Amino acid sequence: MNDSLWPTGVQSAVALAFDVDGPTGGAMLDGSIWRNPSFFTLGAYGPWRAVGYLLDLLDDHRIPATFFVPTWVLETWPAQIKAIVDRGHEIGYHGHQHEAFWQLTRERQQQVMAQSLALFQRHLGLAPAGFRTPSGDWGGDTIEVLLDAGVTWSSSMRGDDRPYVIDHAASGRRLVEIPGKWELDDYASLAYQRAPDYPAGLDRIASYDTTFDNWRREFDGSHRDGLCLTTLFHPKVSGKPGRILLLERLFAHMRAQEGVWFARCGEVAQWWRERHLSAEGTA
C-alpha cells in the first residue's frame, strides 16, 4: 500500500467507466450496418435498455461512474443519456460515431470534437472535460487536438496502474491519463455476434464464474497495492440481466473492502493534478 497516492484514509481508487457505444463503430462508419438490422439492434440494446439496468445497479451500491458517449448515440437516445447525468454520473467524449482517431487527419479530429461539444451542449448543457479514444489508439496529433478542445484528462492508454501525465512537449501542456487494461474490458470475455463475427475469432462466451473471478482478482490486486482501477465495460455487453448479476457480485465484493475510493474519472484526474502535479510545480 502506498499511502501517499490518495486522500487520507483511502487505500485504492476505483473509477468505474462504461462506453455507451450503441451501434456506432466501423459498421456505421462504412454504412454496412444499415443492411444488417441484427447487428444494429445488438448495439442499440445498450442505450435503449441496458443503461437503465446499470443506473439502477449503481444506485443500489451508491457508486458514481463515468460514461463515455459517442454523440450519435446522444442524438438518437437523448432521454437515456440525460438520465445518466440526472442520476449524478459523469459524461466523457467518445467520438461522434466512434471514429478511430488514429486514422483521421488533424482537421477531421477537430471536426469530430467540435461536433461532439455542440451536441453535448445542446442536449445536456455541458462540456465534458474527459475523453476516451474510440478504437484504443491515438494519432500523433491527437493530444494537441484534445488539449485545444479543452480536454484535461483521458482514459485511453495502458501505460500504468496509477494515473500519470502525458506531455505535449511543444506547448508544455499536459493531460492526466487514467489507464485501463484489457483484463477489465468486457469484450474480452462476454461479447458475441455471429454474423459478422465480432470480435473476430471469438466463437464462445466465457463462463460467468470465471469472468467474475478474473475481475475480482484484478480488483483485489489493485486494492492490495493501493492503485487505481478503471473499467472498459459496455452496456450492450455487460448490461444484460444475467451479467447484471455478475456486476452486482463484483460491486458487492468491492464495497465489502475497507478504504476503497469510488470516484468518477474526472475526480481522480482532479485529485492527481492537484496532489501530484502541483507538488511538481507544473500543474
Side-chain angles (χ1 to χ4, degrees):
M1 173 179 174
N2 185 343
D3 289 325
S4 68
L5 292 183
W6 307 114
T8 302
V10 171
Q11 178 169 331
S12 75
V14 170
L16 289 179
F18 298 86
D19 297 359
V20 193
D21 295 343
T24 65
M28 178 171 285
L29 292 165
D30 69 19
S32 61
I33 198 167
W34 308 118
R35 301 187 296 277
N36 191 335
S38 73
F39 197 44
F40 180 91
T41 56
L42 176 80
Y45 180 89
W48 174 248
R49 190 69 171 158
V51 163
Y53 288 144
L54 289 170
L55 293 177
D56 288 345
L57 181 66
L58 292 168
D59 280 353
D60 290 344
H61 290 269
R62 296 172 287 106
I63 297 178
T66 300
F67 290 76
F68 297 97
V69 184
T71 42
W72 188 92
V73 173
L74 170 63
E75 282 194 295
T76 308
W77 292 280
Q80 286 82 351
I81 305 306
K82 185 174 184 301
I84 293 172
V85 178
D86 290 345
R87 292 169 76 164
H89 304 289
E90 178 182 34
I91 296 287
Y93 288 107
H94 203 45
H96 180 62
Q97 293 185 333
H98 205 270
E99 296 86 355
F101 272 53
W102 67 278
Q103 295 178 326
L104 303 182
T105 64
R106 173 194 295 264
E107 291 72 24
R108 182 59 187 143
Q109 293 177 66
Q110 292 170 330
Q111 291 170 359
V112 171
M113 292 301 294
Q115 180 182 23
S116 298
L117 174 59
L119 290 169
F120 280 127
Q121 290 178 325
R122 180 191 308 167
H123 289 282
L124 302 177
L126 58 80
F131 173 87
R132 172 170 283 172
T133 187
S135 78
D137 214 341
W138 285 2
D141 46 16
T142 298
I143 185 171
E144 187 171 10
V145 170
L146 298 179
L147 289 165
D148 289 347
V151 170
T152 60
W153 63 268
S154 89
S155 180
S156 304
M157 299 300 165
R158 306 288 185 270
D160 206 323
D161 36 36
R162 305 158 298 179
Y164 61 99
V165 296
I166 299 177
D167 292 305
H168 180 239
S171 67
R173 293 177 293 173
R174 317 178 93 180
L175 280 178
V176 175
E177 177 68 27
I178 303 171
K181 52 175 63 177
W182 295 123
E183 295 89 330
L184 287 160
D185 186 334
D186 51 11
Y187 260 89
S189 301
L190 300 176
Y192 176 80
Q193 165 70 8
R194 185 176 59 183
D197 59 337
Y198 186 79
L202 294 181
D203 61 356
R204 63 181 64 84
I205 293 171
S207 159
Y208 288 11
D209 282 342
T210 300
T211 300
F212 169 76
D213 188 57
N214 291 346
W215 292 349
R216 178 185 59 79
R217 289 172 186 266
E218 289 297 325
F219 165 76
D220 286 348
S222 178
H223 185 57
R224 183 198 64 183
D225 293 344
L227 305 173
C228 178
L229 178 145
T230 191
T231 57
L232 297 90
F233 291 162
H234 302 75
K236 64 185 176 185
V237 175
S238 53
K240 299 176 179 179
R243 296 160 182 190
I244 286 288
L245 297 177
L246 183 63
L247 292 178
E248 185 174 349
R249 289 176 65 191
L250 179 66
F251 295 170
H253 177 74
M254 291 175 171
R255 268 291 181 203
Q257 314 310 310
E258 296 289 336
V260 180
W261 181 29
F262 293 96
R264 304 162 190 84
C265 290
E267 294 171 298
V268 173
Q270 182 178 355
W271 165 261
W272 203 262
R273 182 177 294 276
E274 293 176 353
R275 174 64 177 82
H276 297 283
L277 300 192
S278 293
E280 299 174 12
T282 54

